[in-house]
Amino acid sequence: MTYNFAFLDEDTKRMLRRALLKAVAIPGYQVPFGSREMPLPYGWGTGGIQVTAALLGPDDVLKVIDQGADDTTNAVNIRRFFSRVAGVATTEHTADATLIQTRHRIPETSLREDQILVFQVPEPEPLRTLEPREAETRTLHALADYGLMHVKLYEDIAQYGHIATSYDYPVLVDGRFLTSPSPIPKFDNPKLDRSPALMLFGAGREKRLYAIPPYTRVESLAFDDHPFEIQRWEHQCELCGSGESYLDEVVVDDRGTRMFVCSDTDFCSGRRVEAQA
Amino acid sequence: MYVAVKGGEQAIARSLELLAEARRGNTAVPELELAQIREQLRLGVARVMQEGSLYDEDLAALAIRQAAGDMLEAIFLLRAYRTTLPRFGYTLPLDTTAMRVRRRVSGTFKDIPGGQVLGPTYDYTQRLLEFDVAPVPHVAPAEAPLPSNMPRVLDLLDAEALIERIEPGNDPEPIDLTREPLTFPADRATRLQNLSRGDEGFLLGMAYSTQRGYAESHPFAGEIRMGEVDVSVCPEELGFVIEIGAIVLTECQMINQFHGGNGVPPQFTRGYGLTMGEGERKAMSMALVDRALRCDELAEPNYAPAQNQEFVLSHSDSVEASGFVQHLKLPHYVDFQAELSLLRTLAAQHAAPPPVKQGEAGRGSPALAPAQECATPPQLSPVAQGRESIEVQGT
């Protein structure tokens, strides 16, 4: 049997696009949607896959990354899936892609207005670890009552001297909705702010979509005397020498020797090609 | 020399070949035919259809073979296939009173109109492994056929007004949980739909907990019946009802004590379970959990896990749970690196606490407007001093 273009039937895509329009209209608001059961497991990117399926056209060029890399197995599998069910062109080059589906990173290369970044989101509710009841968290959002999160961050400061959240660091979108940026390292949070590219977030298992439209203000929560700061390394990438990118730590021998390399493989290889030229 | 990890695509291709080989096993042994699975593993087929939300014995058999007998994987396969099927419409409500009963028992009355019918059940086997394949017995037909319309046991209590009345027609039109997201609080029809797709093991454990003091409701198995029920639709363009087939169902109606409350006199209450195919353990579990989830409606104290609808309904689905638990094996290098970096900082601070500078305290105020009334300024922070080094990774 053959599947419809990009797997989902057109009615489902229309439902998704309507939900996405609502999400764009209310930046940072979690829109419930009729998430479908995809042929990949929940927790493995079903939300992102549905968003991508709803947006893909035959002329799109798709890039899929996981942990910043194009060649991690789950990224390969999702790219393989869309090649198979949509037959679209794929790329590993950030600049060449019209649609980028990502898990846990934002590419180092700046995105453009004609690009869309689709995030895979495991837990869309930034308050979930503080308040497990959905009915309660929706009320808190309606009232913009984010005291819970501020108290949590304050307690971190009181206990550790600084905020002890290193990824999935909560942001306030357009001054209104507290939003999970998905489990990207807080290193990537500044890239969310006033991004020229549309950013869409899909949580399949939790059945929620949300969006950060282009050029929207996105603030990472902080206090005046404890401003938001990102991770920095004493090392540079040992392959391309970058001192500005997010680094992965790799164990290279059985004596525990470490080396540090860019997590964004396209950014890293691009720099190496440039250096050779 | 470090070489960036490449070759994910090839690794996946090889893994798929290994999987196909492992699934098939020794090729000297004949491959299972789908008809064998359908006919001889019918309870497995029923569970896959039931939790896969798709009544098709052949597809369920195919899924079981493809999943090498892993029921949850087979259920997942069937669900993923189901997503692609067009939706032509909805059937009329099924009438289980008109069930062609193959099994029907009650734990509440010694004899009931229509009789107790054991049917094919494992209940009274002696669980001795049968090393020798016994010949298939010839089952003699009963002396008289079962009545075509068996009254429900609970209706007998209903006549005496001893059990809560559920008025037909008062039910709101149910939402389709496979098309619309679950929202809370969920009404009973939605809860039942969720439980019906829920994992048997999860529901069994939840149901068991209600029997051990976590929301005890003194249940009696009012009636359990299994058999074929006709399925009918009323297409808009025809305007009259047509029968499109029959499916096997297992229905369980629990009778539970209720001491009165919310303006309702003491009476028996109902818990309801329904599964596609033969699924008695699941139907009974579902009925107990359904009753526990009615605690708010009946003004009973809501304290136990099985009464907490967000807890039960959000965690009942095996496809969701299995995916999310197992997603932990995906790469988390980036987050792990972020945590490593943080932990090294914390450990360094723990080894050498920064000097406390009291004058630093009290400067804080929340940077973000909407939370002003809630966020406590970190006035008491004694360790604000140490923050210069926070984001630097120690090695």
Side-chain angles (χ1 to χ4, degrees), chain A residues 188-204:
Chain A
D188 284 338
N189 274 23
K191 297 175 190 158
L192 296 166
D193 185 33
R194 297 172 176 85
S195 160
L198 170 63
M199 303 204 170
L200 301 173
F201 297 77

Side-chain angles (χ1 to χ4, degrees), chain A residues 37 71 134 166 207 221 224, chain B residues 7 79 83 310 320 339 368:
Chain A
E37 284 169 301
D71 208 47
E134 176 69 13
S166 58
K207 302 165 182 64
L221 295 197
D224 282 353
Chain B
R79 292 258 195 109
T83 297
E310 285 215 25
E320 290 177 7
E339 287 295 278
L368 300 169

Side-chain angles (χ1 to χ4, degrees), chain B residues 13 38 54 60 119-120 136 153 177 271 276 373 376 388 392:
Chain B
R38 189 188 64 221
L54 186 65
V136 180
V153 172
L177 260 188
M276 291 198 290
E373 72 279 15
T376 317
E388 289 83 358
V392 178

Side-chain angles (χ1 to χ4, degrees), chain A residues 95-165:
Chain A
D96 296 342
T98 57
L99 194 66
I100 303 171
Q101 180 168 330
T102 180
R103 175 167 173 266
H104 294 192
R105 276 308 312 274
I106 297 176
E108 308 287 3
T109 310
S110 301
L111 300 177
R112 303 183 309 265
E113 283 182 356
D114 60 346
Q115 294 179 306
I116 298 177
L117 188 59
V118 176
F119 292 77
Q120 301 172 201
V121 182
E123 176 49 74
E125 179 47 70
L127 298 168
R128 180 64 67 239
T129 52
L130 306 171
E131 171 51 69
R133 291 168 297 176
E134 176 69 13
E136 193 64 25
T137 52
R138 286 186 79 76
T139 307
L140 293 176
H141 281 294
L143 300 172
D145 181 352
Y146 299 133
L148 268 180
M149 183 57 83
H150 284 273
V151 169
K152 190 253 175 199
L153 298 180
Y154 167 72
E155 284 178 348
D156 274 3
I157 294 170
Q159 200 171 351
Y160 307 116
H162 57 92
I163 292 168
T165 297

